[in-house]
Amino acid sequence: MRSFQASISLSVMLILWILTIPAWSLEIGSMVPSFTVVSPEGEPLSRGQLLGKLSVIFYDTRFTASSNNDLKYALADFRNAHPSLSKNLQILQIIDASSANFFTRTIWKRKIRENARRYGITIYADWSGKMRRDFGFRPDLSNVLVVDAQGVVRYVFFGKVPESERNALFTLLLNLGKST
């Protein structure tokens, strides 16, 4: 009887472990997976809205959202300084809001709206955590992703993007911006 219970427990733990493995692991050159996230106002953002534009996506939790703020500001300045990017480069912020529940969801929406107004951007929320799981994003780090106008992943970085990496990222954006 004990071995039967042990095997059931082991099976349940194995299934739970398998469910935590990302369904998708982003690789440079692969197509971005389908996704839909929503702003606090109910405005959806999906893969189809990335097509035709060069996109830099920051996917964060509330604890990692400020990790790459300096890069976000630098990217906005960089976009404004380069005419080839001014209309074709979108910088998107997505927050993993999957820890919100029925009671805290209203508070989350209010905080997201406040931050969106403060920074002058639309912040989208991944309420279910599906995008994080499907993309294989790290919940403990800031996740940075560049997707070209055809929906192909061109850059992936987990964590705070170091200064030494910025020039390569900006060069990539300029080269991709020429083809959009």
Side-chain angles (χ1 to χ4, degrees):
M1 183 69 167
R2 271 195 183 278
S3 70
F4 176 72
Q5 288 175 334
S7 68
I8 294 277
S9 295
L10 185 60
S11 298
V12 168
M13 288 185 346
L14 180 62
I15 289 169
L16 290 174
W17 179 76
I18 289 171
L19 290 176
T20 63
I21 297 172
W24 181 269
S25 180
L26 290 176
E27 292 182 18
I28 293 173
S30 64
M31 291 297 291
V32 70
S34 292
F35 71 94
T36 300
V37 292
V38 184
S39 75
E41 289 75 27
E43 179 186 333
L45 173 72
S46 63
R47 182 174 95 177
Q49 290 162 288
L50 300 182
L51 300 178
K53 288 197 170 212
L54 181 57
S55 304
V56 180
I57 299 170
F58 291 89
Y59 187 97
D60 293 295
T61 68
R62 63 185 171 154
F63 303 111
T64 65
S66 63
S67 298
N68 280 307
N69 273 354
D70 53 342
L71 176 60
K72 294 170 195 173
Y73 298 133
L75 275 170
D77 292 342
F78 184 77
R79 175 184 58 197
N80 295 337
H82 292 85
S84 65
L85 296 176
S86 64
K87 293 181 181 165
N88 295 323
L89 175 62
Q90 55 186 352
I91 303 167
L92 304 166
Q93 175 69 67
I94 301 169
I95 294 292
D96 181 354
S98 62
S99 64
N101 60 40
F102 176 78
F103 301 106
T104 61
R105 195 175 190 122
T106 303
I107 296 167
W108 273 82
K109 284 183 178 182
R110 186 183 80 236
K111 289 290 190 180
I112 291 171
R113 276 190 201 103
E114 288 172 7
N115 284 322
R117 262 187 284 211
R118 180 180 305 134
Y119 299 115
I121 60 171
T122 301
I123 300 175
Y124 296 90
D126 180 11
W127 295 105
S128 66
K130 185 176 182 335
M131 183 179 185
R132 175 182 35 83
R133 289 187 304 275
D134 289 351
F135 281 57
F137 285 146
R138 300 268 312 265
D140 56 332
L141 296 171
S142 181
N143 301 268
V144 182
L145 176 68
V146 173
V147 179
D148 71 15
Q150 291 74 40
V152 177
V153 175
R154 297 299 180 182
Y155 179 88
V156 179
F157 194 89
F158 302 111
K160 180 170 175 47
V161 177
E163 286 285 331
S164 59
E165 184 82 12
R166 282 190 187 182
N167 284 339
L169 176 58
F170 291 164
T171 300
L172 172 68
L173 291 173
L174 277 176
N175 290 335
L176 291 172
K178 291 175 187 174
S179 62
T180 55

